Amino acid sequence: MGGHCLWDGTLSPNDFIASADDLTKKWMAINPNLPQWTWIPCQRMDVSCNAEGYLALENMYQLSASEVNAPTDDENYSAEEAPFDNATLIQSYNDDMHIYDFHIVYSFSYQVPVLYFRGYRCDGHPLHLCDIEKDLPPYSSKIRNESKWTFMTQEEHPYLCCPWYTLHPCGTSDWMKLLLGGDLPSKNPDMLHYLSAWLSVVGQTVGLRIPLELHDKSI
Amino acid sequence: MAAESPTSDRKVVVHLRATGDAPILKQAKFKISGNDKFSKVIEFLRRQLHRDTLFVYVNSAFSPNPDELVIDLYNNFGFDGKLVVNYASSMAWG
C-alpha cells in the first residue's frame, strides 16, 4: 500500500472478509444475547471462490410502530368493550412484531460494502418500504430524506435473486474517505475496522443500533 | 480534568473540527452537559452552519448514534480533556 497515495474510501475483497470477521467477533463479544452476524459463503456463477460471501444478521425483532403508538386514552375506550385481557394483549403484541434481516454484501463494481435489508410480519408477509419507514426512529428518516449520500432503492439481492431494499452505494467511498481517511489523508486507513465504521453510519439510516463498544479499538 | 461534580450533571468539552470543505466555526469549542444526547451536538452544528445535512463523526472511527449520551462518548473516546467531533458537509451526488 503506497503511503503517499490518497485513499479513495474503498476496500478490497480481502479487506472486506477480514473486516467482516472482526465485526462478527466483536459483535459476539459485546452482544451475545442478540442475533449474531453470520458469514454466508457463496459461489457466484462459475467462479469458485472459497472466500466470497456476505454477512447476515437475521431475525432482529422490532415492535411495529402501530403497536407502540396504540392509543391508551381512556376516552377512546368504550365502556362496552371487553375488560382488559392479558392474553389478548400478548397476541396482539406478537402480531405487531416486525422481523428484519440485514445483509452486508461486497460490491465488486463500487468496491464498498452494501446493505441489503428486508422486513416482514410474523405471518411472513413482507413489509413495504412505507411500512418499514414507520418502524424507523425519527433521526433515521431525517438522514434518509436530507442526506444526499443515502437513499433507498429496491434491488435484486446479488446472491439470493429476489428483491431486497438497499442503500445505494454510490456515495459510500466519499464519506468513508472522510470517516476513516480523516486527519492525515496519506495515512493508511484502519481497514480492519472499515465495516464497524461503515455500519455506524448505515445503521442509523435503517434503525440498526450499533453499540459504542464496537468502536473501542482496545477491545 | 474536571473534578467529580457534586451533581450528576458533568460537563463535557466538545471541540468541533471542520473536515472536507465544511466551513470552520468561529466558536469551535463549547461545554455541554454529559447527560445530553449527541443529537444536541448535531442540532447545534446544524444551527451554526445553516446546513440541513451534515456528516458527523468521532476519531476517524465512527459516526455516533444521535441517542448516545455525550458523557459515554467522552468516557470512551475523549482525550486531552475533550471530545473531538469532526463534521463535513454532505456532498452532492457525483
Side-chain angles (χ1 to χ4, degrees):
Chain A
M1 262 186 278
H4 44 272
C5 292
L6 289 183
W7 181 53
D8 63 358
T10 62
L11 86 171
S12 69
N14 284 340
D15 281 338
F16 174 77
I17 292 162
S19 190
D21 186 60
D22 177 75
L23 172 64
T24 300
K25 292 192 166 102
K26 284 228 260 297
W27 186 276
M28 169 97 68
I30 295 162
N31 296 321
N33 298 322
L34 281 185
Q36 297 298 310
W37 291 99
T38 309
W39 178 258
I40 313 290
C42 294
Q43 256 194 349
R44 211 218 261 261
M45 293 182 283
D46 304 323
V47 177
S48 167
C49 175
N50 290 334
E52 186 168 335
Y54 61 93
L55 266 184
L57 178 72
E58 299 190 348
N59 297 320
M60 288 293 270
Y61 281 80
Q62 164 77 43
L63 195 59
S64 80
S66 57
E67 177 61 33
V68 170
N69 295 327
T72 52
D73 309 324
D74 288 339
E75 302 97 82
N76 292 338
Y77 199 80
S78 159
E80 256 72 15
E81 300 271 3
F84 186 81
D85 182 340
N86 275 324
T88 306
L89 184 62
I90 289 166
Q91 175 66 24
S92 163
Y93 186 92
N94 282 333
D95 284 347
D96 289 326
M97 286 299 270
H98 290 165
I99 305 164
Y100 283 89
D101 296 336
F102 299 95
H103 287 185
I104 304 179
V105 183
Y106 183 76
S107 164
F108 287 90
S109 43
Y110 287 96
Q111 295 179 67
V112 294
V114 185
L115 185 76
Y116 287 83
F117 63 98
R118 64 178 181 186
Y120 40 99
R121 297 207 300 250
C122 285
D123 60 6
H125 194 90
L127 295 172
H128 290 296
L129 193 56
C130 49
D131 298 318
I132 293 174
E133 282 173 349
K134 290 178 198 152
D135 284 344
L136 299 181
Y139 59 74
S140 173
S141 311
K142 210 167 192 174
I143 293 169
R144 279 180 301 101
N145 293 331
E146 295 176 356
S147 172
K148 297 183 178 75
W149 271 334
T150 55
F151 66 94
M152 288 189 192
T153 62
Q154 195 173 25
E155 307 227 346
E156 189 171 280
H157 191 294
Y159 295 104
L160 300 180
C161 302
C162 51
W164 283 56
Y165 290 107
T166 182
L167 292 177
H168 201 278
C170 60
T172 299
S173 61
D174 288 332
W175 53 261
M176 280 306 294
K177 194 162 54 179
L178 283 173
L179 183 56
L180 279 195
D183 304 336
L184 301 168
S186 59
K187 194 173 72 170
N188 288 333
D190 180 9
M191 299 308 278
L192 189 64
H193 299 115
Y194 188 106
L195 278 184
S196 316
W198 170 86
L199 199 55
S200 76
V201 176
V202 162
Q204 288 180 44
T205 314
V206 294
L208 181 61
R209 185 72 181 260
I210 309 301
L212 265 189
E213 297 94 314
L214 204 69
H215 310 296
D216 191 339
K217 295 182 187 181
S218 63
I219 291 178
Chain B
M1 277 297 242
E4 296 292 332
S5 172
T7 68
S8 59
D9 188 33
R10 294 181 53 189
K11 297 282 190 203
V12 171
V13 175
V14 175
H15 182 193
L16 298 169
R17 282 185 67 239
T19 63
D21 54 4
I24 299 171
L25 288 172
K26 285 201 182 105
Q27 189 196 340
K29 280 188 189 171
F30 65 98
K31 271 189 192 173
I32 186 176
S33 164
N35 294 329
D36 281 332
K37 290 187 181 175
F38 189 68
S39 54
K40 212 162 184 186
V41 176
I42 299 172
E43 288 308 313
F44 175 82
L45 270 170
R46 287 179 179 209
R47 281 199 312 272
Q48 295 294 309
L49 298 172
H50 309 296
R51 296 280 168 100
D52 286 335
T53 43
L54 284 173
F55 185 55
V56 185
Y57 58 102
V58 170
N59 287 5
S60 297
F62 70 102
S63 182
N65 188 293
D67 287 340
E68 294 289 357
L69 292 180
V70 171
I71 190 65
D72 290 333
L73 290 172
Y74 171 74
N75 284 338
N76 288 301
F77 303 101
F79 59 90
D80 285 347
K82 60 186 185 294
L83 178 69
V84 177
V85 174
N86 304 304
Y87 63 93
S89 305
S90 288
M91 299 189 293
W93 292 115

